[in-house]
Amino acid sequence: MTAYDLAVIGLGYVGMPLAKEATAAGLRVVGFEVDPTKVEALNAGHSYIDDLTDADLEHMLAGGFSATLDESVLADSRTIVICVPTPLDEDHRPDLSAVEGATTTVSRNLRAGTLVVLESTTWPGTTDEVARPILETSGLVAGVDFHLAFSPERIDPGNPKYGLRNTPKVVGGYTLACRERAVGFYSQFIEQVVPVSGTREAEMAKLLENTYRHVNIALVNEMAIFCDELGVDLWEAIEAAATKPFGFQKFLPGPGVGGHCIPVDPSYLSYTVRKLGYPFRFVELAQEINERMPAYVVARVQRLLNRDRKAVNGSRVLLLGVTYKPDIADERETPALPVARALRELGADLVFADPYVKEWRVDGTPVPREEDLARAVAEADVTLLLQQHSAFDLSIVEDHGKLVLDTRGVLAEGERVERL
C-alpha cells in the first residue's frame, strides 16, 4: 500500500488549493517543493498564498498534510500532480524548464500504476511530446505501465465565489484508460469533471479561455484611447451594452493586463501557431495593444499635469494599488510596474499606497510606501488609481485629490478627476 494518495509538485497558488481540497476530502497528501523557505513556512503553519489562510493550513496539517524537500515521497504516491510555473523567457517564448525539471524528478521515482497529471499551462502537445518522453526514461510506458493526463488549472486568486471545488475541471488523458483514471481521481473532491478526448484538447482549452479574455480586453483598451479623443464616456457605453441579456459579455479597460495567465498564456498559443509557419494575428495585435496601455496611462498623467501647468519631472505621483487585481497581494505581471518605470524615467517623485503590499521595488529601487491615504492624496500632485482595493476610501480620493486619473472607472468624474 502506498503511503500517499497524492503528491503535489509545486506548492504555489495552484498546488496549495489542490492540496487543501484533497486533504479535506480525506486523501493522504504530501507536497514536494524545491524551495526550502516554502517548505519551512508551510510545515510551521504559515501560508504565503492569498487564497489559503493560516487557519486553512492548520486544518491541512491536522489532516495529515506535510511539505518536504525529499523527492523520494513521489515513489510512495499513488497520484502525482505537477503544478510548477510556466513563464515566458526574455524572447517571449515558452519556458518549460520547471516542467522538464519536475518530470525528470518524477521519472527517477516513478512506479508502475502511478497516475501522473500535468496542470501547468502550456502549448498543445507538451504532455505528449515533452513530459511523456522524460517520464518514460524510467523504463515504464505511458498508458501501459502508468497513467498520464493533463488537467489545466483554473485558479482565480481572490475569487469569493469560485474555488477549486466548484469550478469545473477539464481532464484529458494520453489514453482512454488514463483519462478515466484521472477523472476518478479529481471526482473525489471536485464537483464537476469535464473529460475531453485527449491531452491536446485539454491544453488548448486553457489557452482558448485566456486568449478570449486577452483579445476582448485589448478591444476595450483600444476603444478607451479613441473614445477619450471622441469625447465619449466608454464606461457608460459598456454598462449600457451590458444590459443586453444575450450576445455580449462585459470587459473593462485598464492600465494593462497582469497576473499569471492573461499576459502569458496567449503567447503560448501564438508560439504554437508560429511553429506552423504563420502568425496568430489576433493574439499578436492584442498583445501590442495591451502592452502599450501603461505608456498611454503615463501620457494621460502628463496631460493632466500640463493642464495644471506642471511637468512630470519633480511632480509627486501617488500610485494607488500596485497588485494585478483587487483585494489580493499578487503582483505578478502587474501593469503598475511599467507605469512606475516610465514615470520614474520622466523624473516623477513616486510614492505608493497598497494595503496588501508592504514593500515595493521598481527595477531594484524601492518606492516609498504611504500609510495615511488622506495625507498621501492631499500631498500628491497627481493620484493615479491603478487598482480599486475595497480597503481604499474612494471618497477621499474624489474629495481631496489635486488631480486624479482613474484607470478602473470607479470614481465620479469631475473637475479634478478623469477616467481612462
Side-chain angles (χ1 to χ4, degrees):
M1 183 178 179
T2 55
Y4 303 103
D5 297 308
L6 168 64
V8 179
I9 300 180
L11 303 180
Y13 75 96
V14 176
M16 285 309 297
L18 174 64
K20 173 190 171 184
E21 291 297 342
T23 301
L27 275 63
R28 296 161 295 173
V29 182
V30 65
F32 172 69
E33 175 61 62
V34 296
D35 184 344
T37 60
K38 289 184 177 181
V39 170
E40 183 178 351
L42 292 173
N43 288 333
H46 302 309
S47 174
Y48 44 82
I49 307 298
D50 279 306
D51 290 339
L52 187 75
T53 65
D54 286 354
D56 291 332
L57 185 53
E58 288 295 341
H59 283 300
M60 291 174 64
L61 294 169
F65 172 79
S66 64
T68 183
L69 299 166
D70 182 5
E71 68 179 62
S72 67
V73 297
L74 303 177
D76 292 324
S77 301
R78 189 165 182 264
T79 296
I80 300 170
V81 179
I82 299 170
C83 305
V84 295
T86 47
L88 300 175
D89 65 17
E90 293 181 356
D91 297 319
H92 279 258
R93 294 175 304 186
D95 179 1
L96 297 183
S97 57
V99 169
E100 292 167 345
T103 49
T104 298
T105 301
V106 173
S107 70
R108 291 195 296 265
N109 299 278
L110 192 58
R111 298 290 183 267
T114 303
L115 166 64
V116 180
V117 184
L118 178 62
E119 287 205 3
S120 306
T121 303
T122 186
W123 47 267
T126 300
T127 305
D128 183 25
E129 298 168 15
V130 178
R132 181 177 61 84
I134 294 174
L135 293 170
E136 289 183 343
T137 62
S138 64
L140 302 177
V141 178
V144 177
D145 303 308
F146 71 95
H147 295 99
L148 177 63
F150 181 83
S151 181
E153 59 89 3
R154 280 175 160 174
I155 300 296
D156 185 18
N159 190 321
K161 183 176 181 180
Y162 290 106
L164 184 74
R165 176 175 290 277
N166 66 345
T167 299
K169 196 84 169 87
V170 174
V171 174
Y174 176 62
T175 65
L176 179 59
C178 291
R179 184 183 75 182
E180 294 308 307
R181 171 74 183 275
V183 167
F185 165 70
Y186 284 114
S187 295
Q188 296 175 91
F189 52 90
I190 292 179
E191 293 173 6
Q192 181 184 359
V193 178
V194 182
V196 294
S197 60
T199 56
R200 284 173 170 80
E201 287 73 21
E203 290 161 336
M204 182 62 81
K206 170 67 173 181
L207 298 185
L208 176 59
E209 293 167 15
N210 286 318
T211 299
Y212 169 80
R213 293 181 61 204
H214 185 57
V215 169
N216 281 281
I217 291 170
L219 171 65
V220 291
N221 275 338
E222 187 164 39
M223 291 183 74
I225 294 171
F226 67 71
C227 279
D228 174 58
E229 296 186 29
L230 291 172
V232 174
D233 186 336
L234 176 62
W235 302 92
E236 185 177 351
I238 290 172
E239 292 302 325
T243 62
K244 185 179 181 182
F246 54 88
F248 181 82
Q249 183 177 357
K250 183 171 75 172
F251 289 85
L252 298 173
V257 292
H260 57 284
C261 290
I262 304 301
V264 176
D265 295 0
S267 293
Y268 272 66
L269 191 50
S270 179
Y271 168 81
T272 302
V273 175
R274 279 198 170 274
K275 290 195 297 182
L276 301 176
Y278 48 87
F280 190 178
R281 288 180 289 174
F282 258 119
V283 164
E284 292 173 12
L285 179 59
Q287 195 87 19
E288 177 187 329
I289 293 168
N290 287 332
E291 286 181 353
R292 81 180 185 189
M293 287 307 292
Y296 175 68
V297 168
V298 171
R300 289 287 298 273
V301 170
Q302 287 180 292
R303 192 178 80 183
L304 267 176
L305 284 167
N306 285 342
R307 195 183 73 188
D308 215 31
R309 297 186 177 183
K310 293 180 180 178
V312 176
N313 190 5
S315 290
R316 187 176 183 85
V317 180
L318 170 64
L319 306 180
L320 284 187
V322 296
T323 61
Y324 89 88
K325 67 182 298 189
D327 299 333
I328 65 170
D330 201 330
E331 300 171 43
R332 284 172 298 173
E333 305 294 332
T334 173
L337 183 60
V339 168
R341 182 181 294 126
L343 286 169
R344 177 173 278 171
E345 288 174 355
L346 291 172
D349 175 20
L350 294 181
V351 294
F352 86 98
D354 194 308
Y356 297 92
V357 179
K358 302 307 178 187
E359 295 181 359
W360 193 54
R361 293 175 177 267
V362 176
D363 300 330
T365 303
V367 178
R369 183 175 188 267
E370 293 288 343
E371 295 275 359
D372 186 330
L373 180 62
R375 183 173 61 82
V377 169
E379 292 179 353
D381 294 301
V382 177
T383 296
L384 178 53
L385 179 63
L386 294 174
Q387 198 55 263
Q388 71 275 33
H389 295 308
S390 57
F392 288 145
D393 184 344
L394 298 181
S395 65
I396 291 176
V397 182
E398 291 173 338
D399 295 341
H400 301 290
K402 295 175 184 174
L403 296 171
V404 180
L405 179 61
D406 170 17
T407 70
R408 297 297 179 178
V410 293
L411 301 177
E413 282 197 292
E415 185 179 340
R416 301 184 310 274
V417 180
E418 285 189 7
R419 291 195 289 187
L420 191 65

